Amino acid sequence: MASDCCISDPYAQLKIGLEAAGAKWVELNDSQTIDQVIAEIYPNAKRIASNLPEVKCATVNPDNLDDPRTLDGTDVGVLRGAFGVAENGMVWVPLATRYKALMFISEALVMIVPKGQAVSNMHEVYKRPEIKEDFDYGCFIAGPSKTADIEQALVIGAHGARGVTVIFE
């Protein structure tokens, strides 16, 4: 995508990009809660880690742990994403929890993103205040972790989450 072009509806294109990257997305309606969506998509999850007060189904607050290695065995990690990038289906996730390990060690990752928060491309990303402000750590996440070898055998969840869901609220 050329740097001077803009996508006419970045939010709609972001959803397409998320699907192309292997992620699911859900747009909350007035009758749904984040907890309901998590329970529906991950019904067998027993260990849910989040420090977000609106995530009532969390069984672990990662900020209360002394060692990030104790996050191993987390079924679902729930984080807040700031915005998405339409051209590649990525979500910017600033570190807002004690350990960045939560972003990578969870079997599944749920990112909560404000509805409509999307930019067309990476050139627009660098204009965002979330990127210009000082922060300890942040990363772009695009779907579940995946890798492929020379024989084209695709492995999902090789270096991180096996599943990713974005909840637009």
Side-chain angles (χ1 to χ4, degrees):
M1 208 166 281
S3 63
D4 59 348
C5 83
C6 288
I7 295 169
S8 63
D9 187 349
Y11 182 56
Q13 185 62 41
L14 171 61
K15 294 173 187 176
I16 294 167
L18 287 167
E19 290 174 2
K24 299 175 185 173
W25 61 268
V26 175
E27 196 168 294
L28 281 185
N29 61 45
D30 293 339
S31 66
Q32 288 177 304
T33 68
I34 292 167
D35 290 345
Q36 289 170 332
V37 171
I38 292 170
E40 181 179 315
I41 295 174
Y42 303 105
N44 298 320
K46 300 208 180 336
R47 190 164 194 230
I48 300 171
S50 183
N51 67 350
L52 301 175
E54 63 269 33
V55 181
K56 310 273 189 266
C57 65
T59 60
V60 176
N61 182 334
D63 293 349
N64 295 336
L65 302 175
D66 292 327
D67 185 344
R69 292 174 291 190
T70 59
L71 287 166
D72 189 20
T74 298
D75 296 313
V76 179
V78 185
L79 301 161
R80 182 160 298 284
F83 62 89
V85 185
E87 78 175 344
N88 49 26
M90 295 190 308
V91 173
W92 172 249
V93 183
L95 182 63
T97 186
R98 187 173 180 188
Y99 302 114
K100 61 184 161 224
L102 181 62
M103 298 178 182
F104 308 105
I105 203 166
S106 302
E107 288 293 315
L109 198 58
V110 172
M111 298 178 286
I112 302 167
V113 178
K115 197 178 289 185
Q117 286 298 307
V119 297
S120 293
N121 54 47
M122 292 301 290
H123 296 279
E124 291 182 21
V125 166
Y126 294 108
K127 298 174 187 173
R128 296 284 301 215
E130 296 93 334
I131 301 298
K132 291 181 178 183
E133 296 171 1
D134 283 341
F135 56 88
D136 283 339
Y137 183 84
C139 67
F140 289 102
I141 298 176
S145 165
K146 47 195 149 311
T147 189
D149 63 16
I150 198 162
E151 295 176 1
Q152 299 179 7
L154 180 64
V155 177
I156 303 291
H159 307 290
R162 293 174 190 240
V164 170
T165 300
V166 176
I167 299 175
F168 295 107
E169 66 170 355

